[in-house]
């Protein structure tokens, strides 16, 4: 592969981009060179519109999550982590379950039918965990998809028929994003984006942070630095595809509407033009309070579709990591050194052991 600063042809009509300035330009799409696209608000019907519905949903979801996290506080989180993790646990699955179960009340309020929570459990088990889909036969994946669409569509319909004064969970927010005329199966996919972000993205970032902490010499650094460095080295959302809307040139390459440009945060964030020892785990680089402004740091995307809850997710992962490390003498036993690569990039499997501090 060419240097991370280049645009690299990775398929017949596919180009992966590692140049920070061009990556930001593609994602911001200020000149309309690319078809409008959101990795979060993308459904089987294409781009979820109107934009006003996205903005309303983003604003309300962020407000609900922020209120939820503030109401629980650090003591509740420490107690929760202590209750979830035993003397040994298997990761990265444990990280997915930890983030999912902690944030489940924000996804589904306590008055929702228990059968809906069991459905979400099945989705996490069969669609979110690393290699989960590969372990499922095709007929079972199809049945889960059908069952999920049917039951969540019914739940969204019930929300629309009986609106609350103010939303109590993400399901409420999605159901009332754009009025009852919106296709319910499309709203189901948007709700699932929230589920995948909470259980998948947050869980994998936590697992990467713990894996890197445990497989490198100990550093007396704040957990926040470890999380930031994990996001830099191993961005969970490691490729963001965009389709040109018109012919144009990018990084010296002529592109047409038949091509696909993949902004690759993995390449961008290892670009030696922007980072010292870019392939090395160096959490101390985040001692500089301006480090997060590095233009080659885009783990949550860039532009209008950047993750609206990026700061909340980063803080939560840091708090969770701190809670885990405070449980006792913690050891990471790695079972490999290769990431599990799919739509999300998960860390190699590892066992976490916890012994009470002496």
């Amino acid at each position: 592969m060419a240097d991370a600063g280049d645009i690299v042809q990775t398929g017949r009509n596919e180009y992966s981009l590692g140049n920070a300035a061009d990556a930001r330009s593609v994602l911001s799409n200020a000149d309309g060179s690319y078809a409008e696209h959101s990795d979060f608000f993308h459904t089987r019907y294409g781009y979820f519109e109107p934009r006003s519905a996205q903005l309303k949903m983003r604003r309300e979801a962020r407000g609900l999550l922020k209120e939820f996290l503030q109401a629980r506080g650090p003591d509740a989180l420490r107690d929760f982590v202590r209750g979830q993790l035993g003397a040994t646990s298997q990761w990265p699955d444990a990280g997915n379950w930890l983030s999912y179960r902690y944030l489940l009340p924000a996804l589904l309020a306590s008055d929702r039918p228990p059968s809906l929570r069991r459905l979400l459990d099945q989705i996490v088990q069969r669609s979110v965990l690393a290699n989960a889909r590969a372990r499922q036969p095709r007929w079972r994946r199809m049945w889960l998809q059908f069952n999920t669409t049917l039951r969540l569509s019914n739940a969204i319909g019930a929300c629309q028929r009986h609106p609350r004064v103010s939303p109590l969970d993400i399901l409420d927010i999605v159901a009332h994003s754009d009025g009852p005329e919106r296709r319910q199966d499309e709203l189901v996919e948007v709700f699932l984006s929230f589920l995948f972000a909470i259980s998948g993205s947050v869980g994998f970032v936590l697992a990467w942070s713990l894996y890197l902490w445990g497989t490198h010499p100990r550093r007396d650094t704040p957990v926040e630095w470890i999380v930031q460095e994990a996001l830099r080295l191993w961005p969970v959302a490691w490729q963001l595809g965009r389709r040109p809307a018109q012919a144009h040139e990018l990084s010296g390459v002529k592109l047409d509407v038949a091509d696909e440009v993949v902004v690759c945060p993995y390449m961008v964030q290892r670009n030696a033009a922007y980072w010292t020892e870019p392939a090395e785990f160096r959490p101390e680089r985040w001692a500089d309070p301006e480090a997060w402004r590095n233009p080659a740091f885009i783990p949550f995307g860039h532009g209008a579709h950047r993750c609206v809850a990026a700061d909340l997710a980063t803080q939560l992962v840091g708090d969770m990591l701190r809670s885990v490390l405070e449980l006792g003498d913690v050891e990471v036993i790695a079972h490999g050194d290769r990431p599990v690569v799919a739509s999300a990039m998960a860390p190699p499997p590892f066992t976490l052991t916890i012994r009470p501090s002496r």
Side-chain angles (χ1 to χ4, degrees):
M1 181 175 287
D3 291 341
D6 296 334
I7 183 169
V8 181
Q9 186 167 2
T10 49
R12 182 177 179 183
N13 293 101
E14 180 184 273
Y15 298 87
S16 293
L17 186 63
N19 178 280
D22 286 339
R24 286 175 169 254
S25 175
V26 170
L27 293 177
S28 62
N29 196 25
D31 60 359
S33 293
Y34 295 85
E36 193 65 29
H37 182 88
S38 166
D39 297 280
F40 190 92
F41 290 104
H42 183 77
T43 73
R44 73 186 75 179
Y45 302 107
Y47 180 61
F48 182 88
E49 294 182 297
R51 176 65 173 157
S52 59
Q54 293 183 25
L55 294 174
K56 178 176 181 288
M57 201 182 303
R58 284 161 57 95
R59 180 177 64 252
E60 292 182 352
R62 176 185 167 79
L64 186 146
L65 288 169
K66 183 176 181 179
E67 182 178 344
F68 174 85
L69 293 173
Q70 289 178 341
R72 287 204 160 188
D75 291 340
L77 178 58
R78 282 193 292 269
D79 291 343
F80 175 82
V81 170
R82 185 178 297 109
Q84 291 289 313
L85 295 181
T88 63
S89 53
Q90 302 304 315
W91 292 68
D93 291 2
N96 298 129
W97 286 116
L98 202 62
S99 59
Y100 162 67
R101 287 168 178 156
Y102 188 68
L103 293 171
L104 179 58
L107 283 164
L108 294 177
S110 59
D111 61 350
R112 300 293 184 194
S115 59
L116 273 185
R117 285 189 281 279
R118 290 194 293 270
L119 174 64
L120 296 198
D121 288 351
Q122 292 178 13
I123 296 170
V124 173
Q125 178 71 46
R126 298 179 183 178
S127 298
V128 175
L129 304 182
N131 276 334
R133 295 188 185 188
R135 294 195 296 263
Q136 302 295 321
R138 186 169 181 270
W139 68 266
R140 181 170 289 176
R141 295 198 306 271
M142 293 179 65
W143 168 248
L144 179 62
Q145 182 180 8
F146 171 80
N147 193 38
T148 297
T149 301
L150 176 64
R151 292 171 64 184
L152 285 178
S153 292
N154 290 338
I156 287 172
C159 289
Q160 293 172 337
R161 290 190 297 272
H162 306 286
R164 307 183 201 259
V165 175
S166 59
L168 293 184
D169 56 19
I170 298 293
L171 191 66
D172 271 337
I173 290 171
V174 172
H176 298 289
S177 66
D178 195 38
E181 71 279 3
R182 170 73 69 179
R183 291 186 63 113
Q184 290 175 350
D185 58 346
E186 185 175 20
L187 293 175
V188 166
E189 292 195 36
V190 175
F191 177 77
L192 290 176
S193 289
F194 281 101
L195 172 61
F196 294 154
I198 283 172
S199 58
S201 299
V202 175
F204 287 138
V205 175
L206 174 61
W208 271 118
S209 301
L210 194 53
Y211 175 84
L212 291 169
W213 173 86
T215 55
H216 290 80
R218 295 293 187 267
R219 287 175 165 88
D220 185 18
T221 57
V223 293
E224 291 79 10
W225 299 0
I226 296 172
V227 175
Q228 292 289 88
E229 187 69 344
L231 285 167
R232 186 191 69 81
L233 274 175
W234 298 103
V236 173
W238 65 285
Q239 53 180 0
L240 309 171
R242 298 292 185 268
R243 289 283 184 182
Q246 58 193 21
H248 66 285
E249 188 172 305
L250 180 71
S251 286
V253 175
K254 293 182 178 180
L255 301 171
D256 207 340
V257 294
D259 297 320
E260 181 179 18
V261 174
V262 179
V263 175
C264 184
Y266 175 87
M267 290 170 59
V268 171
Q269 295 176 174
R270 291 171 178 246
N271 191 324
Y274 294 89
W275 304 97
T276 302
E277 297 181 286
E280 298 301 317
F281 176 65
R282 288 186 53 198
E284 59 273 13
R285 74 174 81 238
W286 298 96
D288 181 355
E290 295 297 307
W292 69 275
R293 296 181 183 274
N294 190 314
F297 185 64
I298 53 169
F300 297 102
H302 176 69
H305 297 294
R306 182 179 184 272
C307 176
V308 71
D311 59 332
L312 298 180
T314 303
Q315 180 179 342
L316 175 60
V317 171
D319 292 342
M320 282 187 162
L321 178 60
R322 182 183 298 106
S323 297
V324 171
L325 298 181
E326 289 176 351
L327 291 177
D329 295 326
V330 177
E331 182 182 7
V332 168
I333 303 171
H335 305 303
D337 56 7
R338 288 181 171 271
V340 180
V341 180
S343 56
M345 185 152 22
F350 64 94
T351 299
L352 183 73
T353 64
I354 303 171
R355 300 177 182 86
S357 300
R358 297 180 179 178

